[in-house]
Amino acid sequence: MHPLGKIVVAGLAMVVFCGTAYGYVNLQSLDEVTRDSVIDDDPATKPGEQPADGSLDILLVGRDSRSDQQGRPLSPDMLRELRVGANGDDLTDTLIVLRIPNGTKEVKAFSIPRDSYVDMPGGKGKINAAFGRAQAGEARRLRSAGETDKAKIEQAALTAGRRATRQAVENLTGVKIDHFAEVNLLSFYEISKAVGGVDVCLKAATKDKNSGADFPAGPQRISGADALAFVRQRDGLPGTDLARVRRQQVFLAGLARQVLSAGTLADPGKLSDLIEAVKHSVVLDASWNLLDFVAQMRGVSGGGIQFATIPVVNVDYRYDRDNPRATAVQVDPAAVKAFAASLIGTAATPPAAPAVTVDVANAGSREGLAGRVADFLAGKGFTAKSAGNAGARRTSVVRFGADLADRGAEVAKLLGGLTTQVSAQVPAGHIEVVLGTVYSGPGVSGGGGAPAAGGGDPITSDGVTCVD
């Protein structure tokens, strides 16, 4: 397989998985893909140029929508086939940024949990609400201005929602989004069927009424409504939304492998079905020239796409004092920006002084976690070592003497924005890190670099990873 296909098709999940593969035959046939003006024009950028920030960045959005990409409601028969009700919140349940560094480095993709609590126009909220908030606001504005054309209002509202989602992601991550791809419930259904199913693996059997999931343990191939149930399930899973993020990542990795297989690329019927599915159920930004994109990617090396998740502070964040049952995922924007930058090697290097040793202890049950986190911190310029196991605790903490407050805060930020604590009990010249059972920052995955949602083995497009 040509390196271009290995990375580009794998990396862009659904849309570009299909579009770039088909580009070897006749990319112009994708002219019928729905387009929208999601990305602001940049007159300073010439076609085919490499992005000035060092990476081509593509936002993949999955919408929980009961309509097609042209806004037409799905039929009752199709809703029953998808195992969803007629009503649903128009939320962005999947947010994945694909980073393709300039040059020949490996491609990285990172997920943003849909419940991440962030700053947005109109006030703080969960990032998946940015779409619906902007969509409803634009519709109200147009109606107040006297617009009566329902189709025009619907399209303008969809554009506003997509642009608001892009802006919310840019604000949180510090990444300038170069291209946008949107899929919906129907997309998972049609594309997974077109490729003949996607291979996944579950650690245990699971059944969930809300999503329609009903799967045995072990390796299996899923498609259609089963594929949709697989990526939508969160009830009954450890970590709920973070476990669902991991489900989405493993599904997209499996989809990449299936699209790249000879059984798909060498089968005219399957390839035709795949392109038709993309044309019917996907939205791309209006500025995305796929031919230029293919040419630009010819220097990217192979090796498979690697999935990660942004660092989080608290997966059970009680953000509303008046409604203590309301929860969200707390994130530290500074830590998220540092994490995103590190994926293309541009993260800031910690200061060299004062000299300090970081002792990392594990208060959970994940084997080797303290060593992996120590290795991660060593890669950031700290002298760090594993201090073994600590007494069990749920949350993580970084402790240090008053004279090392700045360095302690730096360590806490690198590990996803952990709680800090000044303590006279910490030996001079040392910082203590205690990793709680819900720690989900760098070092959770086996490589010690990018975190994996909900813990467990790292997910790549090179093989099948068993998940919850």
Side-chain angles (χ1 to χ4, degrees):
M1 171 59 61
H2 192 285
L4 172 64
K6 180 70 175 176
I7 283 296
V8 176
V9 181
L12 292 183
M14 297 182 176
V15 183
V16 182
F17 289 162
C18 315
T20 309
Y22 196 62
Y24 294 116
V25 183
N26 185 2
L27 202 61
Q28 285 88 343
S29 69
L30 284 175
D31 286 345
E32 297 174 36
V33 172
T34 303
R35 300 280 188 158
D36 199 1
S37 55
V38 184
I39 306 296
D40 294 319
D41 292 332
D42 184 359
T45 301
K46 299 178 182 179
E49 279 188 342
Q50 291 186 326
D53 66 356
S55 179
L56 183 71
D57 298 295
I58 298 152
L59 175 60
L60 177 65
V61 171
R63 280 176 57 209
D64 184 10
S65 172
R66 270 64 170 175
S67 60
D68 64 17
Q69 300 296 46
Q70 289 72 45
R72 297 183 294 260
L74 299 178
S75 69
D77 287 344
M78 178 53 70
L79 291 174
R80 282 192 293 270
E81 177 68 18
L82 295 176
R83 305 172 194 167
V84 297
N87 299 315
D89 296 324
D90 201 347
L91 303 172
T92 49
D93 280 346
T94 302
L95 293 168
I96 295 177
V97 176
L98 186 78
R99 303 220 76 180
I100 307 176
N102 297 343
T104 60
K105 298 179 181 179
E106 290 186 336
V107 175
K108 306 291 179 67
F110 65 88
S111 297
I112 301 170
R114 63 171 224 159
D115 287 342
S116 298
Y117 199 67
V118 300
D119 288 313
M120 296 186 294
K124 287 189 174 182
K126 298 178 182 180
I127 197 168
N128 68 336
F131 186 99
R133 185 183 290 185
Q135 181 186 32
E138 180 64 7
R140 285 195 302 269
R141 186 190 71 79
L142 290 173
R143 293 190 188 100
S144 298
E147 182 60 61
T148 59
D149 187 325
K150 291 184 178 180
K152 185 175 181 179
I153 293 173
E154 172 71 16
Q155 182 54 56
L158 285 172
T159 300
R162 290 163 181 152
R163 291 177 67 87
T165 298
R166 185 213 80 213
Q167 189 64 60
V169 170
E170 289 183 339
N171 292 346
L172 174 64
T173 64
V175 171
K176 180 184 180 299
I177 298 300
D178 299 298
H179 292 300
F180 174 95
E182 179 190 298
V183 297
N184 62 11
L185 301 181
L186 189 61
S187 304
F188 279 93
Y189 176 87
E190 292 189 339
I191 294 176
S192 62
K193 289 186 69 174
V195 300
V198 173
D199 291 322
V200 297
C201 179
L202 288 176
K203 295 179 180 178
T206 183
K207 190 171 185 178
D208 170 49
K209 180 179 178 181
N210 289 335
S211 64
D214 187 359
F215 302 110
Q220 54 204 285
R221 177 165 289 195
I222 59 174
S223 66
D226 283 339
L228 181 59
F230 182 86
V231 298
R232 291 184 71 234
Q233 182 184 2
R234 66 170 178 168
D235 293 337
L237 300 181
T240 59
D241 268 339
L242 290 184
R244 178 160 64 172
V245 165
R246 195 158 167 82
R247 285 275 192 95
Q248 294 166 355
Q249 292 175 346
V250 83
F251 178 86
L252 294 179
L255 179 61
R257 287 190 302 275
Q258 186 65 12
V259 170
L260 291 172
S261 70
T264 299
L265 294 178
D267 186 329
K270 278 189 177 181
L271 203 51
S272 177
D273 290 344
L274 188 57
I275 298 307
E276 287 302 310
V278 171
K279 286 157 61 174
H280 292 158
S281 60
V282 166
V283 173
L284 300 180
D285 67 86
S287 63
W288 199 344
N289 184 313
L290 294 180
L291 288 173
D292 283 347
F293 174 73
V294 168
Q296 187 176 355
M297 291 300 99
R298 291 193 183 280
V300 177
S301 64
I305 183 171
Q306 299 179 15
F307 287 90
T309 302
I310 63 170
V312 302
V313 178
N314 184 358
V315 298
D316 191 30
Y317 178 49
R318 309 288 169 153
Y319 61 92
D320 188 347
R321 291 182 179 179
D322 296 327
N323 183 12
R325 297 182 63 183
T327 63
V329 175
Q330 185 182 16
V331 294
D332 176 0
V336 173
K337 289 179 174 64
F339 162 77
S342 73
L343 298 183
I344 55 172
T346 59
T349 301
V356 61
T357 298
V358 183
D359 304 305
V360 184
N362 186 6
S365 59
R366 282 173 284 190
E367 185 177 351
L369 178 61
R372 292 195 299 272
V373 172
D375 289 344
F376 170 80
L377 291 173
K380 297 298 182 181
F382 287 88
T383 299
K385 61 184 180 66
S386 171
N389 296 324
R393 60 175 289 150
R394 184 174 183 276
T395 58
S396 304
V397 65
V398 178
R399 300 189 183 104
F400 42 80
D403 60 322
L404 292 179
D406 289 344
R407 302 304 308 279
E410 180 71 20
V411 170
K413 180 182 292 186
L414 286 170
L415 297 182
L418 302 185
T419 298
T420 59
Q421 184 180 99
V422 176
S423 172
Q425 305 302 313
V426 179
H430 286 250
I431 294 172
E432 292 181 351
V433 176
V434 181
L435 305 172
T437 57
V438 297
Y439 175 75
S440 60
V444 167
S445 60
D457 296 329
I459 295 172
T460 74
S461 61
D462 288 336
V464 180
T465 301
C466 281
V467 294
D468 293 311

